[in-house]
Amino acid sequence: MRPSLWRVVLGALGVLAAGYAAIAIMVWLHALDLLGHPPQRPADAALVLGNRAYWEGQPNPCLTGRVDAGIALAREGLVRELVMSGGVDKEDGRIEAEVMQAHARLSGYAGPLLLEPVSASTRENLSMSRSLLQAAGVKRVIIVSEPYHLWRAERLAHASGFDRLFDVQYTAAPTSCWRRWGMLFKGALREPLAIVNNGMNGYLH
């Protein structure tokens, strides 16, 4: 390869790396801000967003930690019911919402619980939960996910009009995945790419 072409390739890679780093830093700072500012206003429901259902033969701690954060909101009296959103896990065929429900019940949560068992993305988590929440009379929602995920979830909620139908707050779930690795685990490392993909498809505002 000619030296001039090498310089073009290296320059392009440098631009891509810089863009990735900028998005990752933005997501990281937003995550830290949410962790430091949990919801203060009571809501009708916590909408817990799905993730991979199982990991190494056990319920995925990145997912069950989100459920635990939803349960904590209920126990603190901030929400009156939980809504689990997540469809079929492509890796093992389990339904994420059902895995989340099972974990909530095993953890001692006995309150109202609704399932949205079809969605396959964050955008679908929001769109497919909308009618379920409205049918349940929900007007105020706390969206629960891992810290790295909420920057994109907020933009998707705004772009889709979700945050105009409901009074929305956000809870960053400090799962064991997040506490151990922060932004240095697979899901978080992929998040800047997911943001770019959603942006290119016109899903983010």
Side-chain angles (χ1 to χ4, degrees):
M1 187 180 295
R2 295 178 181 177
S4 59
L5 185 55
W6 269 115
R7 285 194 292 271
V8 171
V9 171
L10 291 175
L13 290 175
V15 169
L16 291 174
Y20 178 95
I23 294 172
I25 291 169
M26 175 184 67
V27 169
W28 174 265
L29 292 175
H30 186 68
L32 294 179
D33 181 62
L34 285 174
L35 285 166
H37 297 88
Q40 299 297 316
R41 304 190 310 275
D44 302 313
L47 173 61
V48 186
L49 305 184
N51 196 350
R52 178 178 174 179
Y54 266 60
W55 188 5
E56 297 181 352
Q58 300 293 327
N60 180 10
C62 304
L63 177 63
T64 57
R66 298 182 186 191
V67 177
D68 292 338
I71 293 172
L73 291 173
R75 289 175 175 165
E76 291 166 11
L78 284 172
V79 300
R80 60 177 171 78
E81 66 183 320
L82 303 183
V83 180
M84 308 304 189
S85 178
V88 177
D89 189 322
K90 296 178 182 178
E91 296 180 347
D92 59 25
R94 291 181 172 88
I95 295 175
E96 294 170 5
E98 293 180 353
V99 173
M100 296 157 78
Q101 178 188 41
H103 177 76
R105 295 309 189 200
L106 286 172
S107 298
Y109 175 75
L113 198 156
L114 300 174
L115 300 186
E116 181 287 295
V118 180
S119 58
S121 67
T122 305
R123 186 170 63 92
E124 290 184 359
N125 287 153
L126 297 171
S127 65
M128 294 184 177
S129 297
R130 183 181 307 180
S131 59
L132 184 67
L133 293 167
Q134 290 177 314
V138 170
K139 298 185 182 302
R140 299 168 297 170
V141 181
I142 299 177
I143 294 176
V144 182
S145 193
E146 284 185 276
Y148 73 89
H149 188 211
L150 286 173
W151 187 94
R152 181 162 57 98
E154 287 185 33
R155 272 71 192 171
L156 288 168
H158 183 70
S160 66
F162 187 93
D163 63 0
R164 291 184 288 280
L165 286 173
F166 307 99
D167 174 11
V168 181
Q169 300 178 81
Y170 297 87
T171 282
T175 70
S176 61
C177 298
W178 174 265
R179 288 194 300 270
R180 183 176 180 185
W181 297 110
M183 285 289 287
L184 298 178
F185 68 92
K186 184 178 179 182
L189 289 173
R190 287 168 45 192
E191 186 62 17
L193 303 179
I195 289 171
V196 170
N197 176 268
N198 282 187
M200 291 179 66
N201 281 288
Y203 301 148
L204 302 178
H205 283 181

